[in-house]
Amino acid sequence: MSTCPADLVAFAGRLADAAGEAIRPYFRQPIPVETKADSTPVTQADREGERAIRDLIARHYPGHGVIGEEFGESDAGADSVWVLDPIDGTTSFVTGRPWFGTLIALVHKGETVLGIIDQPVSGERWVGARGRPTTLNNRDISVRPCAGLGQASLDCTDAAMFTEAEGAAFAIIRDQAARVRYGTDCYAYGLLAAGFVDLVIEATMEYYDFAALVPVIEGAGGTITDWDGAPLGRGSDGRVVAAGDSRVHEAALAHLGPAA
């Protein structure tokens, strides 16, 4: 698929709309928070958001598969598979912080051809689609140039996600960066695509955490890979590095690669 069809891009927008309608009523409300087996939080908003997306896919594209954080896999071997994280950043969501988003990706024959980062409270929506420039609220965006780590703005959701060796490698980059911020989850990748952040480094990510990010970053002119510089896919180990400028990406990999 050289270019993602316009009808699929539009349908993905409908999926984000449906998830947002399900999620918004719960934001900054006193709702129960459960802890899943992997020690991450989950709420009724997460489940209703994913259910709303799945219902639309089943109705309009019954031959497509789904991989979702909350309800697992359905026909994951299909040619076209949607990969969903209804609320990426549930910790932010339940603490009233707007640093979360709905992630929706479409994978066709193993290639991620479409990705959405949707912030349902602020109304910001990043769309990356194969053969098209990334947009933020329907306006084309691009990453910004950055000569090296010393000029870079670095984001990471939580430094506690790293092993000791990974943390040591991250610390070298952190200490060189011009600015460092934590806790923004998928929102940081949207900011990178829009030219406000230069580098994001993460670990322990699941497929549904990063699949949608790939088309968004690449369509804005950035680079997103694993810590060895390899393309991200379902078999990736969950370590992700994204950069707006290839010089920053290469400089980061020089420190991250040995940590593997």
Side-chain angles (χ1 to χ4, degrees):
M1 186 183 293
S2 58
T3 300
C4 187
D7 59 334
L8 285 173
V9 177
F11 180 68
R14 290 180 59 192
L15 297 180
D17 289 342
E21 290 176 6
I23 291 166
R24 278 190 297 274
Y26 292 101
F27 185 57
R28 292 182 179 167
Q29 299 299 315
I31 60 174
V33 180
E34 302 172 37
T35 301
K36 295 190 288 188
D38 62 0
S39 299
T40 60
V42 65
T43 71
Q44 190 66 15
D46 297 80
R47 296 188 178 108
E48 290 190 12
E50 183 169 324
R51 189 175 291 114
I53 297 173
R54 284 176 176 265
D55 286 349
L56 276 176
I57 294 170
R59 192 179 314 150
H60 295 279
Y61 290 95
H64 287 194
V66 180
I67 299 172
E69 178 174 12
E70 306 309 334
F71 298 112
E73 301 180 6
S74 174
D75 296 325
D79 282 350
S80 294
V81 179
W82 296 89
V83 184
L84 315 173
D85 188 348
I87 300 180
D88 181 78
T90 302
T91 297
S92 289
F93 179 81
V94 300
T95 53
R97 294 170 172 84
W99 309 122
F100 66 91
T102 297
L103 299 179
I104 300 169
L106 177 62
V107 180
H108 181 69
K109 295 184 177 179
E111 298 291 328
T112 309
V113 298
L114 173 62
I116 286 182
I117 304 171
D118 187 73
Q119 214 305 326
V121 176
S122 66
E124 296 167 288
R125 181 174 298 172
W126 288 263
V127 179
R130 175 74 60 84
R132 306 171 187 272
T134 292
T135 61
L136 171 57
N137 290 354
N138 299 313
R139 296 182 62 180
D140 292 358
I141 57 173
S142 65
V143 299
R144 67 183 178 189
C146 182
L149 294 176
Q151 294 76 47
S153 177
L154 167 65
D155 266 60
C156 173
T157 296
D158 187 350
M161 65 173 55
F162 302 125
T163 65
E164 183 177 354
E166 292 166 351
F170 174 80
I172 295 171
I173 298 170
R174 178 202 65 204
D175 292 345
Q176 294 183 58
R179 291 165 296 279
V180 183
R181 291 292 180 268
Y182 297 94
T184 42
D185 291 282
C186 64
Y187 200 82
Y189 296 86
L191 294 176
L192 189 150
F196 295 102
V197 169
D198 302 296
L199 180 64
V200 185
I201 299 174
E202 313 260 40
T204 67
M205 296 180 76
E206 300 291 344
Y207 188 37
Y208 46 73
D209 293 319
F210 62 74
L213 308 177
V214 174
V216 171
I217 298 298
E218 293 182 344
T223 305
I224 181 168
T225 67
D226 69 14
W227 285 23
D228 293 317
L232 295 171
R234 194 172 184 194
S236 297
D237 64 8
R239 294 182 293 184
V240 173
V241 53
D245 193 304
S246 61
R247 293 171 292 182
V248 174
H249 185 259
E250 290 169 6
L253 287 182
H255 297 294
L256 297 175

